[in-house]
Amino acid sequence: MADLNVGEKPLRNISESFKALAATVNAETTAVEVAPFSRACSFISPLFGCLGIAFKFAEMDYVAKVNDLVESSKSIASLQVLVDRDIESDCVRKAGSHSRNLLRVKRGIDMVRVLFEQILITEGNSLRDPASKAYAQVFAPHHGWAIRKAVGAGMYALPSKAQLLRKLNEDEASARIFMQDYVAASAPVIQYVEKLFFSRDLGIDW
């Protein structure tokens, strides 16, 4: 992926959009709408691109699933309605269903949360340890041996932390703030999506 345009601030966009989503979730008065949810998720897409070959599969998969949710937001108001419609149509677990795509997007959000958590507590300039832990915790349980092996090999081609921040047009201080904000804001959003599935006895490991 080409470098971002001058002035583009993916981390700020991610942080601000997820803080707004978290406020909606925490208020518990209104349903989470598909449009702002999918828009917030789309801000994460450039980050996967900046991580290079190790997360190429995640970038392609994630972008496709987010695009489906963006498209569905034109006719479906809330995440709740989205899942319930798939249940009525008996297509929840089918490849390409909105619910299945929502679950995949949720994993992408979660992977970035763990990645940022690990970057914040890891000394030094290497991203290999944070990225490996995030992948192992969120994606690896759902991947076959071949993908896990390819990702492991790709970890050696990750940018350094300094290179990543340069690509994202941030310095260390601003990046820390935005990453901390995202870690805090994404947690209730992830829990909300998981609760949607658990409350309908669907589980989240498929």
Side-chain angles (χ1 to χ4, degrees):
M1 176 177 160
D3 283 355
L4 299 164
N5 295 328
V6 177
E8 269 191 75
K9 296 276 190 179
L11 283 187
R12 176 178 294 166
N13 292 339
I14 293 168
S15 154
E16 289 175 354
S17 58
F18 271 86
K19 279 198 286 188
L21 278 182
T24 304
V25 168
N26 293 332
E28 293 183 357
T29 49
T30 53
V32 175
E33 293 177 356
V34 182
F37 176 83
S38 56
R39 186 165 177 269
C41 294
S42 70
F43 287 133
I44 291 176
S45 302
L47 179 71
F48 282 119
C50 291
L51 289 170
I53 193 76
F55 288 94
K56 191 68 196 165
F57 78 92
E59 182 192 9
M60 291 164 68
D61 188 62
Y62 181 84
V63 169
K65 307 294 189 271
V66 170
N67 287 345
D68 172 71
L69 294 181
V70 169
E71 198 54 38
S72 70
S73 72
K74 295 171 185 174
S75 57
I76 302 171
S78 69
L79 295 181
Q80 213 167 338
V81 171
L82 180 141
V83 174
D84 287 342
R85 275 199 193 173
D86 280 353
I87 291 171
E88 283 165 26
S89 306
D90 196 24
C91 68
V92 170
R93 288 171 184 258
K94 286 183 183 162
S97 77
H98 297 321
S99 299
R100 192 180 169 92
N101 289 344
L102 174 60
L103 203 49
R104 298 298 186 277
V105 168
K106 190 272 301 182
R107 281 180 203 149
I109 299 170
D110 204 12
M111 209 282 313
V112 173
R113 180 187 64 80
V114 180
L115 175 68
F116 284 179
E117 262 179 357
Q118 293 299 322
I119 288 174
L120 289 166
I121 61 170
T122 303
E123 295 290 324
N125 200 25
S126 173
L127 288 181
R128 200 179 306 162
D129 208 33
S132 297
K133 283 180 178 166
Y135 176 76
Q137 189 173 320
V138 180
F139 283 144
H142 307 284
H143 287 164
W145 178 83
I147 293 182
R148 291 202 303 270
K149 191 168 168 56
V151 171
M155 290 292 176
Y156 292 93
L158 282 167
S160 67
K161 185 161 76 171
Q163 286 170 329
L164 177 66
L165 296 187
R166 226 177 7 255
K167 285 183 179 186
L168 295 170
N169 297 324
E170 298 293 347
D171 58 34
E172 181 101 27
S174 63
R176 283 191 80 81
I177 292 166
F178 293 139
M179 286 183 183
Q180 283 164 342
D181 284 349
Y182 174 81
V183 168
S186 60
V189 176
I190 291 163
Q191 284 168 352
Y192 177 88
V193 175
E194 291 180 347
K195 215 182 289 181
L196 264 186
F197 285 88
F198 283 131
S199 65
R200 288 152 177 77
D201 292 326
L202 296 170
I204 55 168
D205 291 321
W206 42 277

